[in-house]
């Protein structure tokens, strides 16, 4: 172990780094959910109600929109996780003793992060009713009816959220690990010399290493989606062709990262340890298990360096929300950038020499 200093350093450093990183980053108390507002009333009463939502600490108003359709679009694109819609006759209903309906739309694809928003919205309605009823003696109907609408996962089933994410996690776990050992295995078996004397270029060698696993990744994704639909009734509301196209980009990015790891290490044991050091942050910081909205800024920033973060947004956007490339293109572009950059680094790191 003393002679193999790289392996020893990885074994000692990985637990320390993971403890500090994940102990600091993993939180489940989601606060300050990005929220858009369509206030069709624009009155002091409606502004007081919006302030009541903000004062809970669960809603952070990020935009005030001009139509109900704009609210739906913002939630579908993921720029907001909740929307508040106040009708134009809100103050008149309160003044005339009628119940004033207010709608709160919550993106419920992640049951863990949406439950606090659903509870807070219902709590705002109760507090407003108590305040208004105490000020108007003899009133027989509730002044405010806050109608909370969980969208995309109205049953708050965890399987609907977890199963699409499993596609990305399984692809990351298997493909990175397999390709991380590709070059190292050749070196340990003594077959790297045969590759060195061939006339193929470094780029052709790297592409040849990952090409068979592209088909493996597509088969894995198809299997998970089929079983998810059959066993857990996970919906597929978007374009299947778009889903496979983006998955192909993510597979190439994962395989390229595995190849990059294989150019950094000397043994298969080191490759396995380095791969798991990469896989665990993907599971914990990408939004697969824990809501990114609850993480501190540093953890969210690290998550932006992981391809799985973007792939999960695309997966859930297509499967659960049915959105198209027009809403997902920033995440698709990020995945393509990761794939191209990682392949470039792997080719640059690899030299057709035994050293």
């Amino acid at each position: 172990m003393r002679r193999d200093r790289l392996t020893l350093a990885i074994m000692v450093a990985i637990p320390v780094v993971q403890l500090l990183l994940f102990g600091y980053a993993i939180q489940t108390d989601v606060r300050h959910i990005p929220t858009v507002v369509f206030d069709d009333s624009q009155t002091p009463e409606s502004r007081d109600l919006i302030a009541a939502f903000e004062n809970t600490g669960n809603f952070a108003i990020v935009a005030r929109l001009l139509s109900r359709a704009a609210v739906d679009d913002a939630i579908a694109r993921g720029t907001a996780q909740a929307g508040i819609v106040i009708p134009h006759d809100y103050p008149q209903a309160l003044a005339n003793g009628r119940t004033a309906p207010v709608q709160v739309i919550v993106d419920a694809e992640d049951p863990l992060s949406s439950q606090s928003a659903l509870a807070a919205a219902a709590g705002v309605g109760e507090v407003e009713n108590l305040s208004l009823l105490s000020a108007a003696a003899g009133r027989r109907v509730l002044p405010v009816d806050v109608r909370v609408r969980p969208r995309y996962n109205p049953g708050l089933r965890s399987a609907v959220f977890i199963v699409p994410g499993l596609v990305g996690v399984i692809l990351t776990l298997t493909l990175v690990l397999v390709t991380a050992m590709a070059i190292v295995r050749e070196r340990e078996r003594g077959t790297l010399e045969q590759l060195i004397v061939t006339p193929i270029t470094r780029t052709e060698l790297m592409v040849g290493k990952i090409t068979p696993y592209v088909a493996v990744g597509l088969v894995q994704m198809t299997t998970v989606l089929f079983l998810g639909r059959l066993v857990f009734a996970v919906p597929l509301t978007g374009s299947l062709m778009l889903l496979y196209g983006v998955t192909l980009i993510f597979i190439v990015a994962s395989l390229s990262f595995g190849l990059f790891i294989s150019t950094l290490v000397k043994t298969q044991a080191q490759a396995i340890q380095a791969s798991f050091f990469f896989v665990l942050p993907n599971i914990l910081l990408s939004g697969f298990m824990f809501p990114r909205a609850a993480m501190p800024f540093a953890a969210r920033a690290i998550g932006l360096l992981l391809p799985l973060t973007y792939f999960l947004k695309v997966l859930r956007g297509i499967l659960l929300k049915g959105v198209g490339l027009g809403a997902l293109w920033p995440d698709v572009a990020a995945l393509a950038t990761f794939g191209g950059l990682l392949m470039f680094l792997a080719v640059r790191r690899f030299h057709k020499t035994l050293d």
Side-chain angles (χ1 to χ4, degrees):
M1 292 179 68
R2 187 169 62 250
R3 287 193 296 268
D4 190 1
R5 294 184 177 181
L6 179 58
T7 299
L8 181 61
I10 291 176
M11 292 175 62
V12 173
I14 285 180
V16 175
V17 173
Q18 291 177 343
L19 173 65
L20 296 178
L21 176 62
F22 303 136
Y24 171 69
I26 302 306
Q27 302 180 32
T28 58
D29 184 19
V30 182
R31 306 278 288 174
H32 308 294
I33 295 174
T35 305
V36 293
V37 174
F38 171 45
D39 183 3
D40 199 23
S41 177
Q42 298 291 335
T43 58
E45 291 83 357
S46 64
R47 286 190 285 270
D48 288 342
L49 182 62
I50 295 171
F53 279 99
E54 285 190 286
N55 291 338
T56 63
N58 292 88
F59 301 93
I61 308 301
V62 296
R64 297 177 184 270
L65 305 179
L66 301 179
S67 68
R68 166 61 186 270
V71 173
D72 294 335
D73 183 65
I75 296 176
R77 287 177 175 269
T79 56
Q81 291 182 270
I84 302 172
V85 180
I86 303 177
H88 69 280
D89 60 345
Y90 175 75
Q92 289 81 5
L94 295 179
N96 296 333
R98 295 183 287 110
T99 298
V102 175
Q103 189 171 50
V104 178
I105 307 166
V106 177
D107 183 350
E109 65 174 9
D110 181 357
L112 185 61
S113 61
S114 63
Q115 284 177 354
S116 59
L118 297 172
V124 168
E126 295 175 0
V127 171
E128 286 294 305
N129 283 328
L130 289 174
S131 175
L132 292 171
L133 286 173
S134 62
R139 184 166 184 147
R140 297 183 178 181
V141 297
L142 290 177
V144 180
D145 179 17
V146 177
R147 302 175 182 177
V148 185
R149 296 291 183 266
R151 185 165 293 178
Y152 308 124
N153 185 13
L156 300 181
R157 295 193 299 123
S158 59
V160 173
F161 178 72
I162 293 296
V163 171
L166 281 174
V167 175
V169 171
I170 291 173
L171 290 177
T172 301
L173 181 62
T174 57
L175 299 181
V176 171
L177 183 60
V178 168
T179 52
M181 296 187 294
I183 303 298
V184 180
R185 186 186 301 112
E186 299 279 1
R187 184 181 291 113
E188 288 187 346
R189 291 179 177 177
T191 56
L192 187 60
E193 294 92 335
Q194 300 175 21
L195 294 176
I196 291 174
V197 299
T198 60
I200 62 174
T201 64
R202 293 183 297 175
T203 302
E204 291 170 341
L205 174 60
M206 291 298 182
V207 173
K209 282 292 184 183
I210 70 172
T211 298
Y213 299 113
V214 172
V216 173
L218 293 175
V219 171
Q220 286 180 332
M221 188 201 73
T222 303
T223 303
V224 175
L225 288 180
F226 175 76
L227 292 177
R229 179 67 176 173
L230 182 65
V231 179
F232 300 104
V234 175
L236 174 56
T237 58
S239 169
L240 194 61
M241 183 177 298
L242 176 61
L243 179 61
Y244 272 89
V246 178
T247 302
L248 181 62
I249 297 175
F250 176 72
I251 288 173
V252 172
S254 299
L255 293 172
S256 300
F257 186 80
L259 284 178
F260 177 65
I261 291 177
S262 72
T263 64
L264 298 176
V265 298
K266 300 297 183 183
T267 66
Q268 293 189 62
Q270 293 174 356
I272 293 173
Q273 291 171 357
S275 299
F276 276 104
F277 181 67
F278 170 74
V279 167
L280 196 55
N282 269 271
I283 294 175
L284 298 181
L285 301 182
S286 64
F288 166 64
M289 293 182 62
F290 302 100
R292 283 178 47 80
M295 298 178 186
F297 173 79
R300 294 200 303 272
I302 295 174
L304 293 177
L305 301 177
L306 305 173
L308 184 58
T309 300
Y310 304 93
F311 186 54
L312 291 182
K313 291 177 64 177
V314 174
L315 267 175
R316 290 164 178 158
I318 296 175
L319 291 175
L320 306 182
K321 299 180 180 180
V323 295
L325 187 60
L328 300 173
W329 72 264
D331 301 298
V332 177
L335 285 175
T337 302
F338 273 114
L341 179 61
L342 290 170
M343 178 57 75
F344 171 77
L345 292 175
V347 172
R348 288 296 301 269
R349 281 282 310 171
F350 177 72
H351 300 285
K352 291 187 67 177
T353 63
L354 290 179
D355 294 334

